[in-house]
Each structure stands twice: as structure tokens, then as C-alpha cells.
Amino acid sequence: MKTLIKINLLLIIITFSILNVSAQNSSQLISKNGTNTTLQNMAEKAEVLYRPQIHFTPSKGWMNDPNGMFYKDGVYHLYFQHNPDSNVWGPMHWGHATSKNLINWKQEPIAIYPDSIGMIFSGSAVVDIKNTSGFGKNGKAPIVAIFTQHNMEGEYSGRTDFQNQSIAYSLDNGYTWKMYKGNPVIKNPGIKDFRDPKVIWHDATKKWIMVVAVKNKVSFYSSANLIQWTKESDFGEDLGNHDGVWECPDLFTLSNDNKKYWVLTSSINPGGPNKGSATQFFIGDFDGHSFKSNSNKTKWMDYGADNYAGVTWSDNGPEKISIGWMSNWIYAREVPTFNWRSATTLPRTLALKNVNGEMYLTSDASKFMYALPKKIQLLSKGNGKLNVPSLGSAYKISFDQNNLSSYTVSLSNDLGEYLDFGYDSITNQFFIDRTLAGVHKFNPEFAAKHFAPRLAVSKTTGFYAIVDKASIEFFADGGLNVMTDIFFPTVPYTNINIISNNKKAVEQRFELSTFLKN
Ligand code: FRU
């Protein structure tokens, strides 16, 4: 029915049936769904349908923001906001996972537990190579974690100083941690929202710099030893979006055209361009004391609904790799996964692009996909049904188009559920439509179509999208336009239809890479 409507609207429809989920598998899932509504069965079904293959998820319990990411001795460390004993937000710990390629993750024992000062909220970690903190022993560099401690009793009793910045250190490369006895290292200045410190080494002033979110702006602090901190300045009260509270900032450098720029990112909730949680960025200069933006435009890292609190890795060299929490505070506590809640986004390499004199951040996840064994199919040659080896595998769809035609890529199943994404040349917008993608009644705001204005000035609309069971990450125009959305089909999508008014362009090169399970 939906396809018929589209035929009337567009000139040519090219249809490829791709995901070859065996009929047996699908019907097993349907009958389970139809006859069994116990929570246990729903949880088992969610494990099969929604547990991603190439994204990190905790084995059980709740997760939100990624925290404290650093790289050392060939290992990427990822910590995360974690409530291990429940699938909703609660007493926050730092969970821990490690990876050698940022795609295959191993969950490690919990890293940092709440104590009498408070729960362990978001923050960062650095390798203190010069042992400025003095925590190192026998010539071994300590890892120092800097985070917010949130005191629940303080909040309930009506105080305003219940969020303070604390530190912990590790002498075994991030596996076990000791709390610093003199915590907190920065006391709350009397503002309820004072959290999520991100610390970097600032080479020009030979100091550690902390950027921390303070209600509707960020503050910068400096330190020689990660213990004593001096307030430097504030930024952002009169720039960017202010429809919500600023959270999880980051500060780093990137180059474009041989010129170095400082990038400041700040998540905000609510206030995102497609409602709820999202991350904005500012580009400009930072001299070790204050940040100056070179534009007064509000700019977003990702226009989808599900990329929040992203920050970059520390100590991995000049490349800036960011990872975010793939959910949105509007409905994160209600998504139908039961045993666990939330995944991280794919890692993304960040870069800068100049668009008509305005500098923008670009994101690219494709490089990390090379680590995965895959099967590649050129769909234009398939002309019909193509087989994908395993149920609900993660896959990448890519498409090079040489003009500005509209296109829609529609992933669908036999129950009539579909997820559409694409580009509309009339409105000059990218979109993801998850209105009828599957289960959505858990929150009235979930079913929606999301839009991203097209920023690029180039004449092509090439894209790639990575789908991993219950998520899509859609990168267009060389990563200038990014949309990340989650969705919950009742049975896996079994078809991919490409709808475009430019048959030639679609036939040119439309490729599917299925990532094979290791
Ligand atoms: C962002 C956030 C942070 C806070 C953490 C608590 O999602 O609200 O500001 O530190 O989550 O879990």
C-alpha cells in the first residue's frame, strides 16, 4: 500500500529484497510475540531482535553517557554511566569496557562505585604521563579520572550544592581505582547543575584544563596537578541553544587547511533539533583561559534523536574519536529491551569542513568498519533477491549519487513495519522516518519523522548508513549531515527498497556490506 502511494509520487521504483531472514525464523518470532506476553519472553525476544552486533551494550542493567575514555598500550577504555542492578537510571557507577578496535567490546568489572560523597556521574580520564598528580608509583603513569559526585540526600533536602567534582586514580591501567582522599577537588559554587568535567592537557600553558557544564553554559578551570583547580572563565550564556540544561562538554583541537581550530561541544537536554537530547558545537579559539567562538550560529553534531553526551577519546594521538549514548532522555527508560537499556553509538572520527565560510564538524564511522569481516554485494547487479547470511546482521548501505535527486531507502518487514531514510530535494532536507518502524507505544514521542537541513554546497548526495538491528546511523555529504535513530521492529526487516526519481544514479553504485559475526 505504502509502495503504491510512492509509485504515484515518484517516477521509478527500484526494489531489491535483501535481508534473507528465513521464513522459519520470522514466524517463530511472530508466534512468540502473538502468544506469549510474559516479561521473560519479551526480554528473550529483545535479546534476539535488538541486542546490537557492532555496538557496545552492557550485558545487563542500565547505561547512559560514555565516560572517561582513554587509550593506552593498544587498548581503548570506555567507562559508562551504569546502574548494574536495574534497567532504569539509579545509583550511578562507572561501568567499564575495553576494545582493541572500538567495535568488539569486552565488558570488565565495575570500575568506580558510589561512596558517601555521592553517586558517580559523568566525567573524563587522562593518562598522567608526567605524574603531575604524584599518584604514580615506581615510574608508572597513573590514570586519573575526574567526575561529578551527585549527593542524592543533598538534592532531596533542597540544597543547591549537591554536585561536586572528584577524582580517582588507577595504577593498573584503568582496571581498578582508588578514590582520592581529599575529594571533592572542586566544591560546588552554589549552582544545582554543575557537572561532567572533561579534562585535557593544554600544551601552550603546560596546564590541565577542565571544561565543566554549569546550568546554561560551561566554565573553564586550570590545574598543574589535577588536584588544585583555579577558575578561568565562562562561555556560552549568550550563544547556542538554551532550551535545556547544558551537559557533558568537550574541548579539543582540529585542523582545516593547515589552520588549528578549537572545538567546544556541549550536549543539551531538552532542546535538540528533533526534540529532547542532542549535542551542539562551537568552533573558535581557546588560549588556556577563555574560549571565543568564531560564529553565532547554533550547530548540531547529529540531527537524529539518539546521539547524546558524546565526548572524545583521550591519549590516542591527534585523531579525535567520539562516541555517544545512543538514546534520548525522552524515552530512554522505556525502550523495550528489558535486560539492558541503551547502546553507545559507533565510534566516529571528527574533522572540520568549511561550508561557505562557516566551519562545521564532520563525523565518519566508516574507517572502523574495516576491522570487520564482511560480504559485499553490488545491489544494482543483483536485480532482485539477494541473500544475507545471518538473522538481523549489522550492515552498511552505501550509495553514490551524482546529482541532487530525492531518494528514499525503505527497510521493511512482512508485518508492514518500515523505517525510511533519505533526502528530499524539494525541502533540501535529509530525514529518518520511524513513525511506523515497529514497537513505539512505550512513549508517545517516539514515533516520529526527523529532519536535518542539508548544509553542503556540493552537487552530490552520496551517503552511507549503518544498521545494527535496532539502530541506524546515516552519514551524508561526507559526514556533514549525520542522523542517528533507534527503532524496534516486531520482526526483523527483510526488504530494502530504494525509491528514486533518478534510476541511472541508483543503478550506478548501490552497495550492501553485511558484517559477518566474528
Ligand atoms: C547526561 C547526564 C549527565 C550526568 C549523567 C547522570 O545524560 O544527565 O549530565 O552526569 O547523565 O547519569
Side-chain angles (χ1 to χ4, degrees):
M1 182 61 188
K2 183 173 157 271
T3 309
L4 284 176
I5 293 167
K6 284 179 177 167
I7 289 173
N8 292 333
L9 295 174
L10 298 161
L11 294 174
I12 293 162
I13 294 185
I14 302 159
T15 301
F16 300 103
S17 296
I18 296 172
L19 271 181
N20 182 30
V21 179
S22 75
Q24 200 194 354
N25 275 338
S26 300
S27 60
Q28 272 169 8
L29 289 167
I30 294 166
S31 69
K32 257 192 187 172
N33 181 48
T35 55
N36 216 325
T37 54
T38 65
L39 195 58
Q40 195 187 347
N41 275 292
M42 284 158 74
E44 275 168 24
K45 197 180 130 186
E47 285 288 342
V48 178
L49 277 171
Y50 307 140
R51 177 81 79 176
Q53 191 180 317
I54 59 170
H55 292 77
F56 175 70
T57 47
S59 58
K60 69 175 189 62
W62 165 270
M63 171 174 81
N64 55 292
D65 316 351
N67 295 148
M69 295 106 87
F70 75 92
Y71 177 78
K72 190 157 189 292
D73 300 341
V75 180
Y76 292 93
H77 291 263
L78 163 71
Y79 302 87
F80 52 92
Q81 287 291 280
H82 190 33
N83 184 3
D85 299 320
S86 164
N87 64 4
V88 290
W89 191 90
M92 284 293 112
H93 301 57
W94 270 24
H96 184 201
T98 52
S99 172
K100 293 205 163 134
N101 61 7
L102 292 164
I103 295 290
N104 303 111
W105 292 97
K106 175 172 180 255
Q107 192 167 350
E108 305 284 354
I110 289 173
I112 309 183
Y113 288 79
D115 66 9
S116 58
I117 299 182
M119 310 196 283
I120 313 302
F121 269 23
S122 287
S124 50
V126 290
V127 183
D128 183 12
I129 299 163
K130 297 185 186 126
N131 195 19
T132 61
S133 60
F135 296 139
K137 277 199 185 115
N138 309 324
K140 244 195 133 203
I143 317 294
V144 179
I146 311 96
F147 45 83
T148 301
Q149 288 205 270
H150 179 105
N151 191 289
M152 225 43 186
E153 286 113 62
E155 182 183 2
Y156 289 151
S157 68
R159 296 173 70 112
T160 52
D161 60 354
F162 51 84
Q163 294 189 339
N164 293 278
Q165 315 318 327
S166 288
I167 61 177
Y169 59 95
S170 169
L171 299 177
D172 62 358
N173 284 346
Y175 292 92
T176 60
W177 293 83
K178 276 200 173 65
M179 282 291 194
Y180 172 58
K181 293 230 164 59
N183 278 337
V185 291
I186 303 183
K187 289 216 170 99
N188 188 300
I191 299 172
K192 271 196 210 159
D193 296 296
F194 178 58
R195 58 181 178 266
D196 311 336
K198 175 80 197 257
V199 171
I200 59 161
W201 176 252
H202 188 256
D203 217 29
T205 54
K206 301 275 176 263
K207 280 195 175 157
W208 297 102
I209 294 294
M210 176 194 293
V211 55
V212 61
V214 190
K215 198 177 162 187
N216 58 347
K217 60 178 190 295
V218 296
S219 293
F220 296 99
Y221 288 75
S222 67
S223 172
N225 59 7
L226 295 162
I227 299 168
Q228 275 101 26
W229 293 91
T230 307
K231 168 111 186 259
E232 295 285 347
S233 61
D234 293 332
F235 171 82
E237 211 162 5
D238 49 5
L239 272 186
N241 186 292
H242 288 276
D243 294 343
V245 174
W246 286 29
E247 301 183 312
C248 300
D250 196 0
L251 180 69
F252 50 88
T253 58
L254 284 173
S255 292
N256 181 274
D257 233 352
N258 292 323
K259 196 170 171 241
K260 186 170 116 178
Y261 293 84
W262 281 89
V263 182
L264 172 67
T265 66
S266 178
S267 288
I268 182 164
N269 178 64
N274 280 294
K275 284 196 181 167
S277 320
T279 304
Q280 51 184 336
F281 63 89
F282 306 89
I283 295 172
D285 196 24
F286 179 74
D287 61 2
H289 305 285
S290 59
F291 182 88
K292 283 187 187 53
S293 175
N294 61 16
S295 164
N296 53 14
K297 278 202 168 147
T298 301
K299 299 172 182 171
W300 300 101
M301 279 185 81
D302 188 319
Y303 274 84
D306 298 298
N307 179 6
Y308 192 60
V311 283
T312 55
W313 245 271
S314 178
D315 295 280
N316 63 316
E319 191 180 14
K320 294 298 154 208
I321 303 172
S322 149
I323 208 165
W325 172 44
M326 199 155 57
S327 199
N328 191 310
W329 279 116
I330 296 177
Y331 44 72
R333 304 164 186 88
E334 295 149 4
V335 297
T337 54
F338 309 104
N339 291 343
W340 84 97
R341 277 212 174 92
S342 306
T344 55
T345 66
L346 285 171
R348 296 160 186 200
T349 305
L350 304 179
L352 293 177
K353 190 167 183 155
N354 190 327
V355 180
N356 288 336
E358 278 283 342
M359 213 49 97
Y360 286 89
L361 266 183
T362 63
S363 311
D364 180 19
S366 60
K367 151 180 172 183
F368 304 99
M369 302 297 118
Y370 292 124
L372 297 167
K374 58 183 148 312
K375 182 180 164 189
I376 296 183
Q377 290 156 290
L378 283 178
L379 297 188
S380 52
K381 306 235 167 74
N383 197 23
K385 195 158 182 151
L386 291 169
N387 294 338
V388 172
S390 58
L391 171 81
S393 293
Y395 53 92
K396 174 174 154 195
I397 307 166
S398 55
F399 173 32
D400 289 336
Q401 184 173 252
N402 288 334
N403 61 26
L404 295 181
S405 307
S406 299
Y407 60 83
T408 297
V409 182
S410 188
L411 315 179
S412 63
N413 61 25
D414 296 342
L415 299 183
E417 296 169 342
Y418 64 92
L419 177 96
D420 282 0
F421 68 96
Y423 169 67
D424 180 346
S425 64
I426 294 168
T427 59
N428 203 25
Q429 284 177 321
F430 293 96
F431 63 89
I432 297 179
D433 187 356
R434 67 176 179 197
T435 312
L436 295 173
V439 180
H440 60 81
K441 291 202 176 125
F442 53 84
N443 187 292
E445 303 217 51
F446 188 80
K449 186 169 181 179
H450 300 141
F451 299 94
R454 183 163 191 261
L455 302 170
V457 285
S458 70
K459 291 266 184 298
T460 63
T461 55
F463 77 86
Y464 68 90
I466 295 168
V467 178
D468 188 5
K469 295 206 180 174
S471 66
I472 180 162
E473 292 162 273
F474 176 27
F475 300 84
D477 283 334
L480 200 53
N481 288 276
V482 186
M483 299 186 84
T484 303
D485 269 8
I486 56 174
F487 51 86
F488 301 95
T490 312
V491 297
Y493 297 138
T494 50
N495 305 296
I496 301 180
N497 302 322
I498 313 295
I499 303 151
S500 173
N501 55 4
N502 187 335
K503 183 173 188 284
K504 224 170 151 213
V506 174
E507 280 181 340
Q508 222 169 329
R509 191 167 181 82
F510 178 64
E511 189 178 290
L512 174 79
S513 313
T514 309
F515 303 122
L516 308 175
K517 280 191 176 127
N518 285 334

